[in-house]
Amino acid sequence: MKLTKKFIDAQIYNGKAQHIIWDDEVPGFGVRLYPTGKKSFVLSYRDNKRKSIMTIGSCSVLTLDQARNKAKADLVGLHNGINPLEQRQKERQGQLVKDLCSAYVTQHAVHKKSGSDDISRIERFIIPEWGNLLVTNIKRADVAALHVKLGKQGHYQANRVYALLSKMFNLARVWGFVPETHVNPCFGIEKFREEKRDRFVTHEEFPKLADAINKELNQYAVAAIWLYLLTGVRKDELLTLKWMDIDLGRKELKLMDTKNGKPHYLPLSMAAIDILNQIQRVQDNPYVIVGNNPGCHLVNIDKPWQRIRKTAGLEDVRLHDLRRTVGSWLAQSGNSLHLIGKVLNHSNQSTTSIYARFGQDSVRDALEQHGKQLNQLAGL
């Protein structure tokens, strides 16, 4: 018979192990009665020749129409290959944000040239804030609140974390952490306006920085930062550098996996070679900057850098500012923008143009010297 509310309310448990009254309108839909007097809507179905009965909900909570519509939707899902009971168990169990972070690191970040930056932001900002929360429970208000919180410390970092979260939640749909229809909670949040950064270490600040670097206990981090300053290569290119990429005879290092996708051959100064000669090689580890795990490179030097810049009293200097320091000092020494672009492996000349103003000091010095020479010759 077609179930009605009046009929269901009148039924009494008859003592059977499973007292279920089936509905004629929706196949497999029915009401189960319990010895306690409780009544629940249920759905019986077969998937891969296996019979299952799942509880849709209590009769005291759901109306008959709501339960019947839910049963129909589950049967449609079953027709499309979605087992309703397995789907419900998966949703109840849930997957945590820290699980999504782990998947992002192993399946995505490791293939990015800036992957170590993502890993650092995950460890510093995302896991401490949301690690034990369900992915499905993160709402737009949560993202907005974290964005504002980080924005008080700096707009650049807040925007990078926001972009990272947006990518992670997009991939969460692909990887099954959330339904494909799940709305990315980052959608619609406006980024902070960023001022173009031109911070670099000055000649006056450098002695304190050098002293702080040499006081750091992690010797591989020390070598990495010195090489960073001496070569200007990108952080990830440096951390993944292998001994086979270095030709000490030619005084040259070879970077094959660069940001612009082209091989980069960079001459090594004697100062850089001295640093390389001091690095202890580890058997069965091909990397120059060795990490804690066997056979791996150092993944993150942010923590050592935090200690170094605090000791030097340069807490506003970011790690990337050291690469900018290389370009700035080269410009102040009178080197051309073209040469600086070659050193820093810029694919676009406009990227190098930020160093143009530093080159003005050399132009000024040259014209000053020229003026003195003219005055001397003129007897003035």
Side-chain angles (χ1 to χ4, degrees), residues 17 65 72-73 98 114 132 135 153 165 171-172 219 222 239 260 275 284 298 303-304 310 328 333 349 370:
D65 286 340
K72 290 178 181 178
K98 63 183 179 183
S114 58
N132 292 319
V135 177
Q153 304 171 26
L165 285 170
L171 290 173
Q219 291 305 301
V222 169
L239 294 181
N260 62 21
I275 296 295
D284 298 326
L298 189 63
K303 289 182 179 179
K310 184 175 182 180
S328 302
S333 298
Q349 188 67 29
H370 177 67

Side-chain angles (χ1 to χ4, degrees), residues 95-160:
Q95 298 189 75
L96 303 179
V97 171
K98 63 183 179 183
D99 299 324
L100 174 59
C101 290
S102 178
Y104 181 87
V105 169
T106 57
Q107 299 182 48
H108 187 76
V110 293
H111 304 298
K112 289 182 61 181
K113 293 182 174 64
S114 58
S116 63
D117 292 330
D118 287 352
I119 294 171
S120 174
R121 291 182 179 113
I122 285 171
E123 292 175 346
R124 292 171 59 194
F125 305 119
I126 299 176
I127 289 181
E129 195 80 18
W130 298 337
N132 292 319
L133 299 181
L134 291 173
V135 177
T136 51
N137 284 353
I138 303 300
K139 308 301 181 186
R140 185 180 302 175
D142 300 316
V143 178
L146 179 60
H147 190 231
V148 170
K149 177 181 176 180
L150 296 179
K152 294 177 181 178
Q153 304 171 26
H155 289 181
Y156 178 87
Q157 191 71 272
N159 286 346
R160 299 294 84 71

Side-chain angles (χ1 to χ4, degrees), residues 213-309:
I213 294 172
N214 291 331
K215 287 180 179 178
E216 168 61 32
L217 297 179
N218 186 331
Q219 291 305 301
Y220 286 107
V222 169
I225 291 172
W226 274 119
L227 289 173
Y228 200 26
L229 282 163
L230 289 166
T231 63
V233 300
R234 294 178 176 86
K235 181 180 68 174
D236 291 303
E237 295 170 350
L238 177 62
L239 294 181
T240 57
L241 185 67
K242 296 180 180 180
W243 287 110
M244 62 180 292
D245 300 324
I246 298 173
D247 189 333
L248 292 177
R250 293 171 56 90
K251 299 179 182 179
E252 181 180 75
L253 66 82
K254 173 183 64 179
L255 301 173
M256 299 304 294
D257 189 19
T258 62
K259 184 176 180 180
N260 62 21
K262 298 177 181 179
H264 181 43
Y265 295 88
L266 185 69
L268 291 168
S269 65
M270 287 307 302
I273 292 174
D274 286 342
I275 296 295
L276 289 169
N277 286 332
Q278 294 174 32
I279 296 175
Q280 182 179 358
R281 301 195 187 199
V282 176
Q283 188 175 3
D284 298 326
N285 192 319
Y287 294 101
V288 176
I289 308 300
V290 174
N292 295 325
N293 296 324
C296 297
H297 62 80
L298 189 63
V299 175
N300 196 343
I301 58 174
D302 284 340
K303 289 182 179 179
W305 174 246
Q306 300 293 335
R307 294 191 293 266
I308 289 169
R309 71 177 190 172

Side-chain angles (χ1 to χ4, degrees), residues 164-182:
L164 171 59
L165 285 170
S166 183
K167 182 63 178 180
M168 286 176 60
F169 282 111
N170 281 338
L171 290 173
R173 289 200 297 259
V174 177
W175 294 334
F177 281 80
V178 296
E180 291 189 12
T181 56
H182 186 80

